[in-house]
Amino acid sequence: MEGVGKIHIFDGQGKRLQKTLDFPGTVNELDFSEDDKLLAAVGDKTARVYDTETFEVIHDWTLPKEDGPYAKTLGYINTKINPDASLLAVGGTFGWVFIYDLETSEEVRRLSKISEKTETVAWSLEGRHLLVAGNGMFIDVYRTADILNDDYEDSEQIPFALRVPMTDALEYMDFNENKTMLTTAHQDGTVQLWTFMSDDPTINERMHRKVRREQDKVAQAEGRKTN
């Protein structure tokens, strides 16, 4: 947490280095906004958002180093900009998720996932829900409207829209382009595919079977054995 990281900006084909940015610590994750106008970078004690035309820092948040509980080892781990680029979610150590307003730079909410490290966050279609996961055995789904609701003075009062049990802790998760399917990568080595926000309780099982059939078909065509 005392080093200096580097952010390397390449052209669209990844062949030509366009710019290198210094970063005060390890760079754990980067995320572009959907319109590519913003770049978020987080790691160690720093979260930053850059203007992608000038790569100037337009938002900068720094965690305390010594004040408060766990402050010495409190750090940022992952980040996602919501679809309309109004909010930034940053997951961290000890289960924290920081929600920042990308117009005012204000921290609008700090969620707690019961001391379990937050490894990954994701926004649903139009940013209506925020998914949070990590070293626990659930994906916690929050309504963004509830996160921003000041009637919940304590973040622990915010209800879950859904809690999805996992086979093992998560490392990563990401939606497809239209936000209808979610891919999760787990510490037990599995990669799982989910449909999102369906009224059919059997949809996940059926989609897993469909994907397995397609994978088996490809394997058989290539002469590989299937289980």
Side-chain angles (χ1 to χ4, degrees), residues 139-143 159-164 196-197:
I139 297 177
D140 292 335
V141 183
Y142 296 92
R143 295 180 184 87
F160 298 118
L162 186 67
R163 294 199 90 190
V164 183
F196 188 72
M197 293 301 167

Side-chain angles (χ1 to χ4, degrees), residues 36 60 95-96 103 129 134-135 162-163 180 186 197 205 208:
D36 291 330
D60 194 321
W96 292 111
E103 182 177 350
H129 294 85
N135 281 4
L162 186 67
R163 294 199 90 190
T180 59
H186 301 256
M197 293 301 167
E205 180 181 357
H208 279 301

